[in-house]
Amino acid sequence: MRFARPIIIFIGLLLAWQLLISVTGVAAFILPDPLSVLTALYQRWPELLSHAGVTITEILLGLGLGTLLGCLSALIIAQYRGARLWVLPVLVVSQAIPVFALAPILVLWLGYGLASKVAMATLIIYFPVTVAFYDGLRRTEPGWLDLAHVMGGSRWQTLVQIRIPSALPALASGLRVAASVAPIGAIVGEWVGSSAGLGYLMLHANARLQVDVMFAALLVLALFAVALYFAIDRILRLLISWQPDKAL
Amino acid sequence: MTGIPPSPPPAESGTPGISLRGASLRYQGNRVFEDLDLDLLAGRMTCLLGPSGVGKSSLLRYIAGLTESGIEASVSGQLLFDGIEGVSANIAYLAQQDLLLPWLSVLDNVMLGSRLRGETADRARASSLLGQVGLSEYEASVPAKLSGGMRQRAALARTLMEDRPVVLMDEPFSALDAITRYELQELASTLLTGKTTLLVTHDPLEALRIGHRLLLLTGSPASFEAPIDPPGDPLRDISSPELAALQATIMERLTSARQKARAVG
Protein backbone atom coordinates (compact mmCIF):
# COMPACT_ATOMS: atom_id res chain seq x y z
CA MET A 1 0.00 0.00 0.00
CA ARG A 2 2.93 2.27 0.84
CA PHE A 3 4.10 2.33 -2.76
CA ALA A 4 0.69 1.89 -4.35
CA ARG A 5 -0.82 4.96 -2.64
CA PRO A 6 1.13 7.67 -4.57
CA ILE A 7 0.43 5.87 -7.84
CA ILE A 8 -3.29 5.66 -7.07
CA ILE A 9 -3.35 9.36 -6.15
CA PHE A 10 -1.52 10.21 -9.40
CA ILE A 11 -3.88 8.17 -11.59
CA GLY A 12 -6.87 9.60 -9.70
CA LEU A 13 -5.71 13.15 -10.44
CA LEU A 14 -5.22 12.32 -14.13
CA LEU A 15 -8.74 10.88 -14.31
CA ALA A 16 -10.22 13.94 -12.59
CA TRP A 17 -8.35 16.13 -15.05
CA GLN A 18 -9.67 14.19 -18.03
CA LEU A 19 -13.18 14.22 -16.53
CA LEU A 20 -13.07 18.00 -16.10
CA ILE A 21 -12.22 18.43 -19.79
CA SER A 22 -14.90 15.97 -20.98
CA VAL A 23 -17.59 17.60 -18.86
CA THR A 24 -16.78 21.27 -19.52
CA GLY A 25 -15.51 20.87 -23.07
CA VAL A 26 -12.87 23.52 -22.39
CA ALA A 27 -10.66 24.47 -25.35
CA ALA A 28 -7.26 22.75 -25.65
CA PHE A 29 -5.36 26.09 -25.61
CA ILE A 30 -6.87 26.79 -22.16
CA LEU A 31 -6.51 23.35 -20.61
CA PRO A 32 -4.98 20.50 -22.67
CA ASP A 33 -5.97 16.92 -21.91
CA PRO A 34 -3.50 14.62 -20.09
CA LEU A 35 -2.71 12.60 -23.20
CA SER A 36 -1.55 15.60 -25.25
CA VAL A 37 0.60 16.77 -22.32
CA LEU A 38 2.20 13.33 -22.13
CA THR A 39 2.68 13.41 -25.91
CA ALA A 40 4.38 16.80 -25.63
CA LEU A 41 6.49 15.43 -22.81
CA TYR A 42 7.56 12.53 -24.99
CA GLN A 43 8.17 14.52 -28.18
CA ARG A 44 10.03 17.43 -26.58
CA TRP A 45 11.83 15.31 -23.96
CA PRO A 46 15.45 16.25 -24.94
CA GLU A 47 14.57 19.96 -24.92
CA LEU A 48 12.68 19.67 -21.59
CA LEU A 49 15.59 17.77 -20.10
CA SER A 50 18.20 20.36 -21.04
CA HIS A 51 16.05 23.21 -19.67
CA ALA A 52 15.33 21.18 -16.52
CA GLY A 53 19.09 20.74 -16.09
CA VAL A 54 19.53 24.52 -15.99
CA THR A 55 16.72 25.04 -13.48
CA ILE A 56 17.86 22.16 -11.26
CA THR A 57 21.41 23.57 -11.22
CA GLU A 58 20.03 26.95 -10.13
CA ILE A 59 17.92 25.39 -7.40
CA LEU A 60 20.71 23.20 -6.03
CA LEU A 61 23.28 26.01 -6.06
CA GLY A 62 20.77 28.35 -4.42
CA LEU A 63 19.96 25.75 -1.77
CA GLY A 64 23.62 25.17 -1.02
CA LEU A 65 24.53 28.83 -0.89
CA GLY A 66 21.42 29.86 1.05
CA THR A 67 21.92 27.09 3.61
CA LEU A 68 25.58 27.99 4.04
CA LEU A 69 24.88 31.71 4.49
CA GLY A 70 21.84 31.04 6.70
CA CYS A 71 23.76 28.69 9.01
CA LEU A 72 26.70 31.09 9.27
CA SER A 73 24.40 34.02 10.10
CA ALA A 74 22.53 31.98 12.71
CA LEU A 75 25.81 30.91 14.34
CA ILE A 76 27.09 34.47 14.44
CA ILE A 77 23.94 35.96 15.94
CA ALA A 78 23.60 33.09 18.41
CA GLN A 79 27.21 33.33 19.54
CA TYR A 80 27.75 37.09 19.66
CA ARG A 81 25.27 39.28 21.47
CA GLY A 82 26.63 42.38 19.78
CA ALA A 83 26.03 40.92 16.33
CA ARG A 84 22.55 39.84 17.36
CA LEU A 85 21.51 43.35 18.36
CA TRP A 86 22.61 44.73 15.00
CA VAL A 87 21.86 41.91 12.59
CA LEU A 88 18.48 40.67 13.80
CA PRO A 89 16.56 43.88 12.96
CA VAL A 90 18.24 44.02 9.54
CA LEU A 91 17.23 40.41 8.94
CA VAL A 92 13.60 41.14 9.79
CA VAL A 93 13.49 44.30 7.68
CA SER A 94 15.05 42.42 4.75
CA GLN A 95 12.11 40.03 4.88
CA ALA A 96 9.66 42.90 4.59
CA ILE A 97 10.88 43.44 1.02
CA PRO A 98 9.15 40.90 -1.25
CA VAL A 99 11.87 38.82 -2.87
CA PHE A 100 9.89 38.81 -6.14
CA ALA A 101 10.18 42.58 -6.31
CA LEU A 102 13.94 42.17 -6.24
CA ALA A 103 13.99 39.82 -9.24
CA PRO A 104 14.22 42.52 -11.93
CA ILE A 105 17.00 44.27 -9.99
CA LEU A 106 18.94 41.04 -9.60
CA VAL A 107 18.66 40.36 -13.32
CA LEU A 108 19.83 43.91 -13.98
CA TRP A 109 22.83 43.49 -11.70
CA LEU A 110 23.77 39.87 -12.28
CA GLY A 111 22.63 39.37 -15.85
CA TYR A 112 20.49 36.89 -17.77
CA GLY A 113 22.53 33.86 -16.77
CA LEU A 114 22.77 31.52 -13.82
CA ALA A 115 23.90 34.05 -11.21
CA SER A 116 20.67 36.06 -10.91
CA LYS A 117 18.55 32.89 -10.46
CA VAL A 118 20.94 31.40 -7.91
CA ALA A 119 20.78 34.73 -6.06
CA MET A 120 16.96 34.61 -6.10
CA ALA A 121 16.85 31.05 -4.77
CA THR A 122 19.49 31.93 -2.15
CA LEU A 123 17.56 35.00 -0.99
CA ILE A 124 14.28 33.15 -0.73
CA ILE A 125 15.65 30.38 1.50
CA TYR A 126 18.11 32.46 3.52
CA PHE A 127 15.53 33.72 6.02
CA PRO A 128 13.76 30.43 6.86
CA VAL A 129 17.11 28.66 7.28
CA THR A 130 18.61 31.42 9.45
CA VAL A 131 15.58 31.77 11.70
CA ALA A 132 15.07 28.02 12.14
CA PHE A 133 18.71 27.35 13.01
CA TYR A 134 19.00 30.39 15.30
CA ASP A 135 15.86 29.31 17.10
CA GLY A 136 17.33 25.84 17.60
CA LEU A 137 20.63 27.26 18.88
CA ARG A 138 18.75 29.45 21.35
CA ARG A 139 16.74 26.59 22.80
CA THR A 140 19.54 24.35 23.99
CA GLU A 141 18.49 22.34 27.05
CA PRO A 142 19.76 24.50 29.97
CA GLY A 143 20.84 21.39 31.91
CA TRP A 144 23.28 20.47 29.14
CA LEU A 145 24.81 23.93 29.28
CA ASP A 146 25.12 23.68 33.10
CA LEU A 147 26.84 20.34 32.70
CA ALA A 148 29.22 21.74 30.09
CA HIS A 149 29.96 24.69 32.38
CA VAL A 150 30.82 22.48 35.36
CA MET A 151 32.92 20.22 33.12
CA GLY A 152 34.97 23.24 32.15
CA GLY A 153 33.97 23.12 28.48
CA SER A 154 35.10 26.06 26.37
CA ARG A 155 32.52 28.24 24.64
CA TRP A 156 33.62 26.91 21.27
CA GLN A 157 33.54 23.23 22.27
CA THR A 158 30.15 23.69 23.93
CA LEU A 159 28.88 25.16 20.67
CA VAL A 160 30.30 22.36 18.53
CA GLN A 161 29.57 19.41 20.83
CA ILE A 162 26.23 20.46 22.32
CA ARG A 163 24.49 23.49 20.89
CA ILE A 164 24.90 22.75 17.17
CA PRO A 165 23.88 19.06 17.35
CA SER A 166 20.91 19.91 19.54
CA ALA A 167 19.81 22.60 17.04
CA LEU A 168 19.88 20.21 14.07
CA PRO A 169 16.21 19.16 14.30
CA ALA A 170 15.20 22.84 14.16
CA LEU A 171 17.58 23.43 11.24
CA ALA A 172 16.02 20.43 9.49
CA SER A 173 12.59 22.09 9.65
CA GLY A 174 14.11 25.18 8.03
CA LEU A 175 15.75 23.07 5.32
CA ARG A 176 12.46 21.33 4.51
CA VAL A 177 10.84 24.73 3.99
CA ALA A 178 13.88 25.77 1.93
CA ALA A 179 13.62 22.69 -0.28
CA SER A 180 10.03 23.50 -1.09
CA VAL A 181 10.49 27.24 -1.79
CA ALA A 182 13.86 27.20 -3.59
CA PRO A 183 12.24 26.20 -6.94
CA ILE A 184 9.98 29.27 -6.67
CA GLY A 185 13.02 31.53 -6.51
CA ALA A 186 14.62 29.93 -9.54
CA ILE A 187 11.45 30.00 -11.67
CA VAL A 188 10.60 33.61 -10.82
CA GLY A 189 14.14 34.55 -11.71
CA GLU A 190 13.76 32.84 -15.06
CA TRP A 191 10.46 34.56 -15.77
CA VAL A 192 11.98 37.97 -15.26
CA GLY A 193 14.80 37.44 -17.68
CA SER A 194 16.61 34.39 -18.98
CA SER A 195 17.48 32.39 -22.06
CA ALA A 196 17.22 28.88 -20.57
CA GLY A 197 15.43 26.90 -17.86
CA LEU A 198 11.94 25.51 -17.34
CA GLY A 199 10.58 28.96 -16.43
CA TYR A 200 11.95 30.34 -19.70
CA LEU A 201 10.50 27.40 -21.63
CA MET A 202 7.07 28.00 -20.07
CA LEU A 203 7.05 31.68 -21.05
CA HIS A 204 8.30 30.79 -24.53
CA ALA A 205 5.57 28.18 -25.00
CA ASN A 206 2.95 30.49 -23.51
CA ALA A 207 3.64 33.14 -26.12
CA ARG A 208 3.06 30.52 -28.83
CA LEU A 209 -0.08 29.04 -27.23
CA GLN A 210 1.71 25.72 -26.78
CA VAL A 211 -0.16 25.03 -23.58
CA ASP A 212 0.66 21.32 -23.68
CA VAL A 213 4.38 22.17 -23.56
CA MET A 214 3.76 24.51 -20.64
CA PHE A 215 2.05 21.74 -18.75
CA ALA A 216 4.82 19.29 -19.63
CA ALA A 217 7.40 21.73 -18.22
CA LEU A 218 5.27 22.18 -15.12
CA LEU A 219 5.07 18.43 -14.69
CA VAL A 220 8.85 18.03 -14.90
CA LEU A 221 9.31 20.86 -12.37
CA ALA A 222 6.74 19.38 -9.98
CA LEU A 223 8.33 15.94 -10.18
CA PHE A 224 11.76 17.37 -9.45
CA ALA A 225 10.47 19.52 -6.57
CA VAL A 226 8.80 16.51 -4.96
CA ALA A 227 11.89 14.35 -5.47
CA LEU A 228 14.08 17.10 -3.98
CA TYR A 229 11.86 17.44 -0.93
CA PHE A 230 11.82 13.72 -0.22
CA ALA A 231 15.55 13.33 -0.84
CA ILE A 232 16.32 16.11 1.63
CA ASP A 233 13.80 14.77 4.12
CA ARG A 234 15.39 11.33 3.88
CA ILE A 235 18.94 12.64 4.32
CA LEU A 236 17.88 14.73 7.33
CA ARG A 237 16.16 11.76 8.95
CA LEU A 238 19.31 9.68 8.54
CA LEU A 239 21.49 12.46 9.97
CA ILE A 240 19.21 13.09 12.94
CA SER A 241 18.17 9.52 13.57
CA TRP A 242 18.48 10.09 17.33
CA GLN A 243 15.50 12.41 17.34
CA PRO A 244 12.32 10.55 18.27
CA ASP A 245 9.80 10.75 15.43
CA LYS A 246 6.39 10.95 17.04
CA ALA A 247 4.36 11.66 13.88
CA LEU A 248 3.25 8.16 12.96
CA MET B 1 24.34 32.41 60.63
CA THR B 2 24.70 28.80 61.58
CA GLY B 3 27.99 26.98 61.95
CA ILE B 4 28.61 23.26 62.01
CA PRO B 5 29.86 21.86 65.34
CA PRO B 6 33.46 20.68 64.90
CA SER B 7 32.93 16.93 65.24
CA PRO B 8 33.65 15.56 61.79
CA PRO B 9 34.51 11.91 61.39
CA PRO B 10 38.16 11.47 60.44
CA ALA B 11 38.63 12.45 56.81
CA GLU B 12 40.33 10.25 54.30
CA SER B 13 43.80 11.65 53.91
CA GLY B 14 44.47 13.62 50.75
CA THR B 15 40.86 14.47 49.95
CA PRO B 16 40.18 18.13 50.55
CA GLY B 17 36.90 19.47 51.83
CA ILE B 18 34.87 22.45 50.80
CA SER B 19 34.04 25.45 52.93
CA LEU B 20 31.53 28.13 52.23
CA ARG B 21 31.84 31.45 54.04
CA GLY B 22 29.24 34.18 54.18
CA ALA B 23 27.34 32.99 51.12
CA SER B 24 24.35 35.09 50.10
CA LEU B 25 21.93 34.67 47.26
CA ARG B 26 19.07 36.93 46.35
CA TYR B 27 16.73 35.92 43.59
CA GLN B 28 14.17 38.38 42.23
CA GLY B 29 14.36 40.36 45.47
CA ASN B 30 13.91 37.27 47.70
CA ARG B 31 16.68 36.43 50.11
CA VAL B 32 17.16 32.71 49.42
CA PHE B 33 20.01 32.49 51.91
CA GLU B 34 22.14 35.08 53.59
CA ASP B 35 25.56 34.96 55.22
CA LEU B 36 25.53 31.17 55.19
CA ASP B 37 28.52 29.08 56.34
CA LEU B 38 29.00 25.45 55.38
CA ASP B 39 31.79 22.91 55.75
CA LEU B 40 31.59 19.70 53.80
CA LEU B 41 33.40 16.79 55.38
CA ALA B 42 36.38 15.81 53.32
CA GLY B 43 36.00 12.45 51.62
CA ARG B 44 32.52 11.99 53.07
CA MET B 45 28.95 12.20 51.85
CA THR B 46 26.90 15.07 53.22
CA CYS B 47 23.17 14.95 52.55
CA LEU B 48 21.16 18.14 52.35
CA LEU B 49 17.50 17.89 53.33
CA GLY B 50 14.85 20.55 53.59
CA PRO B 51 11.32 21.49 52.59
CA SER B 52 10.84 22.01 48.87
CA GLY B 53 11.56 25.54 47.75
CA VAL B 54 13.88 26.29 50.68
CA GLY B 55 16.90 26.70 48.41
CA LYS B 56 18.68 23.32 48.53
CA SER B 57 19.18 23.20 44.79
CA SER B 58 20.12 26.88 44.74
CA LEU B 59 22.83 26.23 47.31
CA LEU B 60 24.17 23.30 45.29
CA ARG B 61 24.12 25.33 42.09
CA TYR B 62 25.88 28.10 43.96
CA ILE B 63 28.72 25.75 44.94
CA ALA B 64 28.84 24.39 41.37
CA GLY B 65 29.35 27.95 40.11
CA LEU B 66 26.08 27.90 38.20
CA THR B 67 24.52 30.99 39.80
CA GLU B 68 25.83 34.15 38.31
CA SER B 69 24.94 37.65 39.34
CA GLY B 70 22.63 39.17 36.80
CA ILE B 71 19.43 41.10 36.48
CA GLU B 72 17.46 38.60 38.55
CA ALA B 73 20.00 37.21 40.98
CA SER B 74 22.69 38.68 43.18
CA VAL B 75 25.38 36.44 44.57
CA SER B 76 28.17 36.98 47.07
CA GLY B 77 30.35 34.90 49.38
CA GLN B 78 33.54 32.95 49.48
CA LEU B 79 34.00 29.35 48.44
CA LEU B 80 37.14 27.64 49.69
CA PHE B 81 38.50 24.38 48.38
CA ASP B 82 40.97 22.92 50.85
CA GLY B 83 41.46 26.45 52.18
CA ILE B 84 42.07 27.96 48.72
CA GLU B 85 39.52 29.99 46.80
CA GLY B 86 38.22 28.73 43.46
CA VAL B 87 36.47 25.41 43.48
CA SER B 88 34.98 24.96 40.07
CA ALA B 89 37.82 22.95 38.54
CA ASN B 90 37.44 20.32 41.26
CA ILE B 91 33.75 19.59 40.93
CA ALA B 92 31.68 17.00 39.12
CA TYR B 93 27.92 17.45 38.92
CA LEU B 94 25.02 15.05 38.64
CA ALA B 95 21.52 16.44 38.23
CA GLN B 96 18.06 14.99 38.60
CA GLN B 97 17.79 14.54 34.84
CA ASP B 98 20.52 12.31 33.44
CA LEU B 99 21.41 14.98 30.82
CA LEU B 100 22.77 12.35 28.45
CA LEU B 101 23.16 13.71 24.92
CA PRO B 102 20.75 11.74 22.72
CA TRP B 103 23.03 11.81 19.65
CA LEU B 104 26.05 10.26 21.40
CA SER B 105 26.55 6.63 22.35
CA VAL B 106 26.60 5.78 26.04
CA LEU B 107 30.41 5.48 25.91
CA ASP B 108 30.80 8.86 24.21
CA ASN B 109 28.46 10.39 26.77
CA VAL B 110 30.70 9.11 29.55
CA MET B 111 33.67 10.77 27.83
CA LEU B 112 31.82 14.06 27.28
CA GLY B 113 34.00 16.04 29.72
CA SER B 114 37.18 15.30 27.78
CA ARG B 115 35.49 16.16 24.49
CA LEU B 116 34.32 19.49 25.90
CA ARG B 117 37.78 20.36 27.17
CA GLY B 118 39.38 19.27 23.90
CA GLU B 119 41.37 16.53 25.61
CA THR B 120 41.93 12.97 24.46
CA ALA B 121 39.54 10.75 26.33
CA ASP B 122 40.66 7.64 28.18
CA ARG B 123 38.46 5.06 26.43
CA ALA B 124 39.63 2.16 28.54
CA ARG B 125 38.75 3.98 31.76
CA ALA B 126 35.32 5.03 30.46
CA SER B 127 34.71 1.45 29.45
CA SER B 128 35.73 0.09 32.84
CA LEU B 129 33.51 2.65 34.62
CA LEU B 130 30.57 1.53 32.50
CA GLY B 131 31.42 -1.99 33.62
CA GLN B 132 31.31 -0.87 37.25
CA VAL B 133 27.80 0.56 36.82
CA GLY B 134 26.73 -2.60 34.98
CA LEU B 135 26.36 -1.13 31.49
CA SER B 136 29.17 -2.90 29.59
CA GLU B 137 26.74 -4.30 27.04
CA TYR B 138 25.33 -0.87 26.27
CA GLU B 139 28.52 1.06 25.42
CA ALA B 140 27.51 1.50 21.79
CA SER B 141 23.80 2.09 22.43
CA VAL B 142 22.20 5.51 22.27
CA PRO B 143 20.57 6.72 25.52
CA ALA B 144 17.06 6.35 24.07
CA LYS B 145 17.54 2.56 24.22
CA LEU B 146 18.11 2.65 28.00
CA SER B 147 15.63 2.61 30.87
CA GLY B 148 15.49 5.49 33.37
CA GLY B 149 17.63 3.63 35.91
CA MET B 150 20.21 2.65 33.29
CA ARG B 151 20.39 6.23 32.04
CA GLN B 152 21.05 7.50 35.54
CA ARG B 153 23.75 4.84 35.97
CA ALA B 154 25.36 6.04 32.74
CA ALA B 155 25.20 9.58 34.13
CA LEU B 156 26.87 8.34 37.32
CA ALA B 157 29.65 6.80 35.22
CA ARG B 158 30.03 10.14 33.39
CA THR B 159 30.30 11.90 36.76
CA LEU B 160 32.94 9.45 37.99
CA MET B 161 34.82 9.75 34.70
CA GLU B 162 35.48 13.38 35.58
CA ASP B 163 37.55 12.10 38.52
CA ARG B 164 37.03 15.22 40.63
CA PRO B 165 37.50 15.21 44.41
CA VAL B 166 34.14 16.92 44.92
CA VAL B 167 30.84 15.54 43.63
CA LEU B 168 27.59 17.52 43.78
CA MET B 169 24.35 15.65 43.25
CA ASP B 170 20.94 17.27 42.92
CA GLU B 171 18.22 14.72 43.70
CA PRO B 172 19.80 12.27 41.27
CA PHE B 173 17.55 9.34 42.13
CA SER B 174 14.25 11.08 42.74
CA ALA B 175 12.74 10.34 39.33
CA LEU B 176 13.36 6.59 39.65
CA ASP B 177 11.12 3.83 40.97
CA ALA B 178 11.71 2.57 44.52
CA ILE B 179 13.71 -0.56 43.70
CA THR B 180 15.92 1.14 41.12
CA ARG B 181 16.52 3.99 43.55
CA TYR B 182 17.51 1.54 46.26
CA GLU B 183 20.03 -0.15 43.93
CA LEU B 184 21.45 3.13 42.72
CA GLN B 185 21.93 4.47 46.25
CA GLU B 186 24.08 1.46 46.97
CA LEU B 187 26.03 1.81 43.74
CA ALA B 188 26.62 5.54 44.24
CA SER B 189 27.61 5.10 47.88
CA THR B 190 30.17 2.46 46.93
CA LEU B 191 31.61 4.22 43.90
CA LEU B 192 31.79 7.64 45.58
CA THR B 193 33.75 6.36 48.58
CA GLY B 194 36.53 8.80 49.39
CA LYS B 195 34.98 11.72 47.49
CA THR B 196 33.67 14.84 49.14
CA THR B 197 30.03 14.57 48.15
CA LEU B 198 27.03 16.81 48.64
CA LEU B 199 23.74 15.09 47.91
CA VAL B 200 20.55 17.12 47.78
CA THR B 201 17.58 14.88 48.48
CA HIS B 202 14.00 15.07 49.65
CA ASP B 203 14.07 11.53 51.00
CA PRO B 204 15.18 11.32 54.69
CA LEU B 205 15.60 7.56 54.43
CA GLU B 206 17.93 7.90 51.45
CA ALA B 207 20.02 10.40 53.41
CA LEU B 208 20.08 8.15 56.48
CA ARG B 209 21.11 5.17 54.41
CA ILE B 210 24.05 6.61 52.48
CA GLY B 211 25.01 9.91 54.20
CA HIS B 212 27.84 10.40 56.70
CA ARG B 213 26.21 13.62 57.83
CA LEU B 214 22.74 15.04 57.32
CA LEU B 215 22.09 18.75 57.12
CA LEU B 216 18.67 20.33 57.34
CA LEU B 217 18.14 23.60 55.55
CA THR B 218 15.05 25.48 56.74
CA GLY B 219 13.56 28.96 56.95
CA SER B 220 13.64 32.04 54.77
CA PRO B 221 16.34 33.18 54.33
CA ALA B 222 17.45 29.60 54.75
CA SER B 223 19.82 28.44 57.50
CA PHE B 224 21.12 25.10 58.74
CA GLU B 225 19.73 23.29 61.75
CA ALA B 226 21.99 21.19 63.98
CA PRO B 227 23.49 18.42 61.82
CA ILE B 228 22.65 14.77 62.30
CA ASP B 229 25.42 12.16 62.18
CA PRO B 230 23.75 8.76 62.02
CA PRO B 231 25.65 6.00 63.85
CA GLY B 232 27.77 3.54 61.88
CA ASP B 233 28.96 3.62 58.29
CA PRO B 234 26.88 3.85 55.15
CA LEU B 235 25.19 1.69 53.69
CA ARG B 236 23.09 1.39 56.81
CA ASP B 237 20.31 -1.07 57.34
CA ILE B 238 17.18 1.01 56.88
CA SER B 239 15.10 -1.40 58.97
CA SER B 240 17.10 -0.66 62.16
CA PRO B 241 15.12 1.02 64.96
CA GLU B 242 17.81 3.68 65.37
CA LEU B 243 17.33 4.92 61.82
CA ALA B 244 13.57 4.78 62.20
CA ALA B 245 13.84 7.03 65.25
CA LEU B 246 16.14 9.44 63.38
CA GLN B 247 13.79 9.48 60.44
CA ALA B 248 10.95 10.42 62.79
CA THR B 249 13.07 13.28 64.20
CA ILE B 250 13.86 14.57 60.73
CA MET B 251 10.24 14.39 59.62
CA GLU B 252 9.24 16.27 62.75
CA ARG B 253 11.78 19.02 62.11
CA LEU B 254 10.83 19.33 58.45
CA THR B 255 7.14 19.45 59.31
CA SER B 256 7.59 22.14 61.95
CA ALA B 257 9.78 24.11 59.52
CA ARG B 258 7.02 23.99 56.95
CA GLN B 259 4.39 25.02 59.49
CA LYS B 260 6.55 27.96 60.54
CA ALA B 261 6.94 28.98 56.91
CA ARG B 262 3.17 28.80 56.45
CA ALA B 263 2.53 30.85 59.60
CA VAL B 264 4.92 33.55 58.29
CA GLY B 265 3.58 33.36 54.75
Side-chain angles (χ1 to χ4, degrees):
Chain A
M1 200 61 199
R2 204 177 140 209
F3 297 103
R5 190 177 288 122
I7 297 169
I8 293 170
I9 292 173
F10 184 68
I11 293 172
L13 285 173
L14 282 185
L15 286 176
W17 179 0
Q18 184 60 55
L19 194 70
L20 185 72
I21 289 167
S22 307
V23 171
T24 58
V26 62
F29 63 87
I30 303 284
L31 182 63
D33 61 275
L35 194 64
S36 57
V37 171
L38 288 178
T39 311
L41 193 68
Y42 176 73
Q43 283 173 348
R44 319 260 314 240
W45 182 244
E47 191 186 355
L48 279 166
L49 206 62
S50 80
H51 284 291
V54 173
T55 304
I56 290 170
T57 310
E58 293 161 1
I59 293 171
L60 292 180
L61 283 176
L63 258 182
L65 204 61
T67 304
L68 193 71
L69 288 176
C71 288
L72 277 177
S73 310
L75 282 173
I76 290 169
I77 55 181
Q79 198 70 349
Y80 303 103
R81 209 180 102 83
R84 176 156 68 245
L85 295 176
W86 288 100
V87 174
L88 220 48
V90 177
L91 203 67
V92 173
V93 168
S94 78
Q95 270 309 289
I97 305 168
V99 184
F100 305 123
L102 289 176
I105 302 171
L106 288 175
V107 172
L108 182 71
W109 287 347
L110 300 172
Y112 262 49
L114 203 65
S116 55
K117 286 80 193 173
V118 173
M120 271 298 288
T122 304
L123 272 180
I124 207 167
I125 73 157
Y126 171 73
F127 189 74
V129 170
T130 308
V131 169
F133 194 33
Y134 170 58
D135 214 41
L137 288 168
R138 236 172 22 154
R139 285 169 207 275
T140 316
E141 156 73 47
W144 290 340
L145 297 179
D146 286 348
L147 189 67
H149 182 84
V150 175
M151 284 176 161
S154 68
R155 202 173 146 81
W156 171 249
Q157 285 294 342
T158 306
L159 180 73
V160 172
Q161 306 278 357
I162 296 180
R163 294 183 71 196
I164 292 179
S166 81
L168 288 183
L171 173 63
S173 309
L175 288 181
R176 288 192 183 97
V177 173
S180 53
V181 300
I184 302 176
I187 293 292
V188 169
E190 288 173 0
W191 281 349
V192 171
S194 63
S195 50
L198 288 173
Y200 163 79
L201 186 65
M202 286 174 79
L203 280 190
H204 191 267
N206 190 31
R208 284 156 192 76
L209 285 183
Q210 296 168 334
V211 186
D212 48 353
V213 178
M214 278 184 74
F215 271 76
L218 202 59
L219 197 66
V220 172
L221 182 68
L223 284 177
F224 171 72
V226 170
L228 178 71
Y229 180 85
F230 281 106
I232 287 190
D233 186 63
R234 183 96 195 108
I235 294 168
L236 291 172
R237 269 172 209 278
L238 285 175
L239 283 177
I240 321 172
S241 57
W242 51 268
Q243 195 202 19
D245 191 350
K246 293 193 184 83
L248 286 174
Chain B
M1 179 154 165
T2 316
I4 307 295
S7 62
E12 306 231 338
S13 59
T15 309
I18 277 196
S19 309
L20 196 60
R21 292 285 169 266
S24 299
L25 173 68
R26 272 165 191 264
Y27 188 74
Q28 291 178 333
N30 291 327
R31 292 176 298 165
V32 181
F33 47 83
E34 211 165 48
D35 206 11
L36 200 67
D37 289 357
L38 167 70
D39 293 287
L40 292 186
L41 307 176
R44 292 285 185 263
M45 186 179 291
T46 306
C47 294
L48 187 57
L49 288 154
S52 52
V54 75
K56 303 186 294 289
S57 290
S58 301
L59 181 62
L60 184 122
R61 291 178 62 81
Y62 176 97
I63 299 172
L66 291 172
T67 39
E68 279 167 31
S69 284
I71 305 162
E72 293 190 318
S74 99
V75 185
S76 61
Q78 203 184 16
L79 196 54
L80 302 169
F81 177 73
D82 204 16
I84 303 156
E85 205 160 353
V87 191
S88 52
N90 301 301
I91 284 178
Y93 169 70
L94 182 60
Q96 184 178 347
Q97 318 97 301
D98 50 75
L99 298 177
L100 297 174
L101 300 176
W103 55 88
L104 293 182
S105 71
V106 170
L107 187 69
D108 283 329
N109 262 294
V110 171
M111 300 188 296
L112 180 68
S114 317
R115 294 173 73 124
L116 283 171
R117 291 185 295 271
E119 304 163 358
T120 336
D122 186 346
R123 266 192 121 72
R125 201 170 147 257
S127 193
S128 112
L129 280 169
L130 276 175
Q132 288 181 45
V133 299
L135 288 178
S136 284
E137 288 167 41
Y138 297 91
E139 279 186 10
S141 309
V142 287
K145 300 267 179 239
L146 272 55
S147 70
M150 287 156 83
R151 292 172 64 108
Q152 203 55 292
R153 274 190 273 161
L156 181 63
R158 182 191 59 205
T159 311
L160 293 166
M161 183 71 187
E162 289 294 280
D163 201 18
R164 305 290 174 85
V166 180
V167 177
L168 305 177
M169 299 198 284
D170 193 358
E171 305 198 9
F173 314 128
S174 62
L176 305 172
D177 67 86
I179 313 274
T180 312
R181 194 186 315 155
Y182 193 78
E183 286 171 357
L184 263 166
Q185 287 165 359
E186 196 169 324
L187 190 65
S189 173
T190 314
L191 293 175
L192 290 167
T193 304
K195 301 221 183 260
T196 306
T197 309
L198 180 63
L199 171 72
V200 168
T201 175
H202 59 232
D203 179 1
L205 210 53
E206 175 172 291
L208 285 168
R209 186 171 180 231
I210 62 174
H212 288 93
R213 166 167 287 182
L214 276 58
L215 294 174
L216 265 67
L217 192 65
T218 55
S220 174
S223 57
F224 291 114
E225 300 197 1
I228 296 169
D229 293 329
D233 286 327
L235 301 150
R236 298 182 191 87
D237 177 7
I238 48 170
S239 59
S240 86
E242 266 176 318
L243 288 205
L246 276 174
Q247 193 191 2
T249 315
I250 294 169
M251 291 306 283
E252 212 170 280
R253 284 211 220 163
L254 290 176
T255 314
S256 80
R258 174 173 284 187
Q259 278 162 356
K260 255 187 237 167
R262 283 205 183 125
V264 173

